[in-house]
Each structure stands twice: as C-alpha cells, then as structure tokens.
Amino acid sequence: QRKELEEFNKEYAIFSEGAKDIQQILSQRINWAEKLNRMSLNLPSGVWFNEFSVSSGNFYLKGAVVSLKKEEMGLLRNFVDNLKKDSAFYKDFTSLELISVRKESIGGYEVVNFILTGTLTGAVKAK
C-alpha cells in the first residue's frame, strides 16, 4: 500500500505542476472582447475602425477620422490619450503609439487615415 501511495503522490505532483502551468498561461491571456469594448467606449464621434489585428505580440489598429470642424488630429489625439489612460484597456500593453497618419480627400471631405500600434506585455496572446 505504501508503494501505491508513493506512486499516487508522484502522479499527483505531476498533475499539480501541469495545473499550475495551465493556470499561469490562462492568467496571462488577453480578453480581446473586453479590449474591443474599451476601444468602443473611448471612441469619439467621427473616428472609426477599418482593421484590427494582433500578431507576434503586436497590436495593430487601422482607422479613419473625419470632422466637419477640421478637428481630425485633435479627435485622434484624444482617442489615443484616452486609451492610454484607460487602465482596463492599457494594462496589457507596454506601448501604444500612432505610426502613420495620412490625409486624403473623399467626396469633398478631408479624411485622416491612421495606424495605431501597441506592444503587448510578454509573448503573443489571444483569446
């Protein structure tokens, strides 16, 4: 019986280590549905998203801004600043910055296209 108990304890220890590893991995996952919701809550009128992706630990958001009052850059700056201030959104990032801003005219309106990137803490994560 002692031998059986020792064997059981060995197997239990192996499973316990595996469970700890799984818990650690799960605690490091990012809930992207929550992130998208936080982005939506911080979204000023006149800003919209065209594309969103995560690859190799990097976050990419392509979007555009239009303003009849010619406040495109201010709206964009407020959006990025609000995301950085939103602890629920920013907690998984080490950086968040605009890497591209390009103006164009569409149907007589000036539209600013932008690319926002962020570096995620740790390895590639998705949920």
Side-chain angles (χ1 to χ4, degrees):
Q1 286 179 341
R2 181 177 216 157
K3 198 172 192 176
E4 288 177 15
L5 181 60
E6 287 174 4
E7 191 65 35
F8 172 79
N9 285 337
K10 284 181 187 176
E11 288 181 28
Y12 179 76
I14 291 170
F15 286 121
S16 292
E17 286 178 29
K20 286 178 188 175
D21 291 342
I22 290 172
Q23 282 180 324
Q24 182 180 5
I25 290 169
L26 289 175
S27 71
Q28 294 174 349
R29 290 180 71 181
I30 294 175
N31 183 341
W32 286 105
E34 178 186 347
K35 296 284 185 222
L36 289 169
N37 184 49
R38 301 305 306 175
M39 287 191 309
S40 175
L41 292 173
N42 287 293
L43 190 65
S45 181
V47 179
W48 67 90
F49 308 141
N50 293 326
E51 186 179 326
F52 165 79
S53 65
V54 178
S55 176
S56 302
N58 293 305
F59 158 84
Y60 301 93
L61 176 66
K62 293 181 181 179
V65 185
V66 68
S67 170
L68 298 178
K69 296 179 181 179
K70 306 287 184 197
E71 299 174 337
E72 296 90 352
M73 294 308 297
L75 292 171
L76 187 52
R77 186 174 31 258
N78 288 341
F79 174 61
V80 174
D81 288 345
N82 288 340
L83 288 179
K84 288 180 178 180
K85 291 176 190 173
D86 185 340
S87 60
F89 177 83
Y90 196 70
K91 68 182 178 181
D92 299 305
F93 291 89
T94 58
S95 69
L96 192 64
E97 59 189 82
L98 286 168
I99 62 165
S100 174
V101 176
R102 184 177 44 90
K103 287 186 178 186
E104 69 176 295
S105 183
I106 299 176
Y109 294 98
E110 215 171 77
V111 176
V112 174
N113 294 300
F114 67 90
I115 300 175
L116 177 68
T117 65
T119 304
L120 299 168
T121 56
V124 176
K125 302 167 188 173
K127 186 172 186 177

